[in-house]
Amino acid sequence: MILDCAVIGGGPAGLNAALVLGRSRRKTILFDDNKPRNTVTSESHGFITRDGINPQELKRIAQEELSSYPDVRTEKQRVHRINKENRLFKVETENGKVYSAKKIILATGFQEVLPDIPLVKDFYGKSLFNCPFCDGWELRDRPLAVVADDHKAFHLAKLVSNWTNDLIIFTNGKEVISPEEQELLKSKGICINEKKIATFIGEEGMLERIQFEDGTSVFREGGFITTEWIQAASFKSSLEYTLNEQGGIETDSWQRTETEGVFACGDTRIAGPSQLIIAAAEGCMAAMSVNGALTEEKFN
Ligand SMILES: Cc1cc2nc3c(=O)[nH]c(=O)nc-3n(C[C@H](O)[C@H](O)[C@H](O)COP(=O)(O)OP(=O)(O)OC[C@H]3O[C@@H](n4cnc5c(N)ncnc54)[C@H](O)[C@@H]3O)c2cc1C
């Protein structure tokens, strides 16, 4: 059978794309190996009607909703190759099955690379987070840290200062804040600590102290840390698309990539704020775009 669309990735972007395709009576397969970047956290915030939901529960509800649409099927498989042959895409999964689809939606998200600081993984997603819009409210008014060893330190600290008046930036041994920026931060009561971090100290992921290589430590109850973002899946070898400066897949406002018939949505575009609701909205847009393209092909 030739599918109308193969959606790769079953996070909010891919799930919403599959929902809109199913409702449009498009034969769709959603491939997902269920390794989203927010696995580390137990609560997601900022999605109206779903504020505070467990991310896996959000996926469960989405799958339940998809089960009402007979044209949508989910395969819990990782896709490892996609090739374009004439006008059709051949989608190959890790278990060796090959599916043919007229259109592809990439909704594969990205993975985060945490800074190389001992025990950072134990705290990430519990009391250290990446995005103040996601978790700032829960950490409000506490003694917080911004841990960042690059130019993002200044910007992130300015943002986080909206949630607390007790903020210290930890640059982990780097000098990344200019004298002018330091003056500005100090004038707002934000301190800077440039010592090399040895480790994080606390119980069950809840931060209590940041320990430095010189043996001293500072009391902090949580904070925000910058991470590197890399594509969770790369089909660059078999599909042509351009990556933006941050490593995200370039699309136009209709989620179309450079390759005709390939669309991208959600975090995989690494093109702005990374949020569940934005990913879901882009998934909706990608599905409408696919539907529009298939409709045009039918009449032309
Ligand atoms: C600690 C943390 C806390 C966060 N908190 C919030 C919050 O409170 N509110 C909020 O709005 N956002 C939050 N986010 C951001 C949010 O998780 C992302 O913006 C959102 O998950 C992006 O959705 P997505 O569908 O694009 O990608 P993802 O949710 O990452 O889903 C991508 C899916 O594609 C699958 N996949 C990848 N490659 C393949 C392949 N080759 N084959 C098959 N499947 C594949 C992955 O396994 C994954 O299931 C948080 C992120 C982190 C890290």
Side-chain angles (χ1 to χ4, degrees), residues 8-15 31-41 43-47 59 77-80 107-112 124-125 128-131 133-135 232-235 265-268 273-280:
I8 326 294
L15 286 161
F31 296 96
D32 187 36
D33 68 350
N34 198 20
K35 290 186 183 133
R37 69 179 258 255
N38 63 357
T39 328
V40 291
T41 189
E43 284 184 14
S44 293
H45 307 102
F47 195 135
K59 288 185 91 160
Q77 286 291 328
R78 185 165 181 84
V79 170
H80 81 125
T108 40
F110 63 73
Q111 290 294 333
E112 283 168 310
Y124 190 59
L128 282 179
F129 299 92
N130 183 252
C131 154
F133 291 101
C134 301
D135 299 286
S234 175
F235 303 110
C265 52
D267 275 4
T268 193
S274 132
Q275 293 277 281
L276 299 162
I277 201 158
I278 295 175

Side-chain angles (χ1 to χ4, degrees), residues 10-296:
L15 286 161
N16 218 115
L19 176 65
V20 174
L21 288 167
R23 292 178 51 75
S24 310
R25 314 189 74 179
R26 298 296 181 188
K27 300 245 169 298
T28 301
I29 293 194
L30 173 71
F31 296 96
D32 187 36
D33 68 350
N34 198 20
K35 290 186 183 133
R37 69 179 258 255
N38 63 357
T39 328
V40 291
T41 189
S42 59
E43 284 184 14
S44 293
H45 307 102
F47 195 135
I48 196 80
T49 77
R50 295 284 175 263
D51 194 29
I53 194 168
N54 179 291
Q56 287 299 322
E57 175 62 3
L58 183 117
K59 288 185 91 160
R60 191 199 60 74
I61 296 170
Q63 282 294 345
E64 196 176 284
E65 289 176 356
L66 287 182
S67 66
S68 308
Y69 300 97
D71 291 319
V72 179
R73 205 172 97 206
T74 298
E75 286 288 333
K76 293 179 183 165
Q77 286 291 328
R78 185 165 181 84
V79 170
H80 81 125
R81 191 174 299 127
I82 305 174
N83 284 316
K84 193 170 186 183
E85 292 177 13
N86 302 317
R87 293 185 66 80
L88 277 185
F89 295 93
K90 300 284 175 192
V91 178
E92 194 179 323
T93 56
E94 273 187 342
N95 64 353
K97 281 196 178 171
V98 180
Y99 301 78
S100 297
K102 294 178 191 164
K103 307 286 174 205
I104 297 288
I105 293 180
L106 299 175
T108 40
F110 63 73
Q111 290 294 333
E112 283 168 310
V113 184
L114 289 163
D116 187 18
I117 304 173
L119 300 187
V120 64
K121 278 191 183 152
D122 293 0
F123 296 86
Y124 190 59
K126 296 196 178 76
S127 57
L128 282 179
F129 299 92
N130 183 252
C131 154
F133 291 101
C134 301
D135 299 286
W137 173 258
E138 283 63 37
L139 295 180
R140 67 193 183 280
D141 296 329
R142 305 233 204 123
L144 297 187
V146 159
V147 181
D149 65 0
D150 60 15
H151 68 282
K152 288 181 233 147
F154 179 60
H155 169 72
L156 185 59
K158 285 197 295 180
L159 199 59
V160 174
S161 73
N162 293 313
W163 282 271
T164 184
N165 290 325
D166 184 352
L167 182 60
I168 305 177
I169 306 175
F170 298 90
T171 65
N172 192 21
K174 301 268 176 64
E175 289 176 18
V176 289
I177 302 176
S178 71
E180 297 78 39
E181 290 170 341
Q182 293 198 18
E183 278 307 307
L184 202 54
L185 292 166
K186 271 184 208 155
S187 73
K188 304 289 178 201
I190 301 169
C191 303
I192 300 158
N193 181 319
E194 292 181 335
K195 290 183 184 179
K196 184 96 177 135
I197 299 173
T199 191
F200 296 99
I201 299 172
E203 293 284 320
E204 295 180 3
M206 304 316 289
L207 186 65
E208 288 164 19
R209 304 195 78 77
I210 298 181
Q211 168 109 40
F212 306 100
E213 287 191 346
D214 67 5
T216 60
S217 67
V218 169
F219 168 67
R220 294 286 95 183
E221 288 188 4
F224 295 88
I225 186 161
T226 53
T227 60
E228 268 181 59
W229 296 348
I230 51 167
Q231 289 287 335
S234 175
F235 303 110
K236 191 98 178 76
S237 54
S238 48
L239 294 177
E240 276 307 313
Y241 46 76
T242 307
L243 296 178
N244 63 27
E245 271 179 17
Q246 291 80 36
I249 300 174
E250 286 266 344
T251 68
D252 64 10
S253 57
W254 286 93
Q255 315 301 141
R256 291 178 291 209
T257 71
E258 229 165 56
T259 302
E260 203 188 334
V262 179
F263 302 74
C265 52
D267 275 4
T268 193
R269 298 194 324 109
I270 316 181
S274 132
Q275 293 277 281
L276 299 162
I277 201 158
I278 295 175
E282 287 188 6
C284 169
M285 183 63 99
M288 287 170 128
S289 243
V290 163
N291 202 38
L294 291 170
T295 305
E296 284 308 308

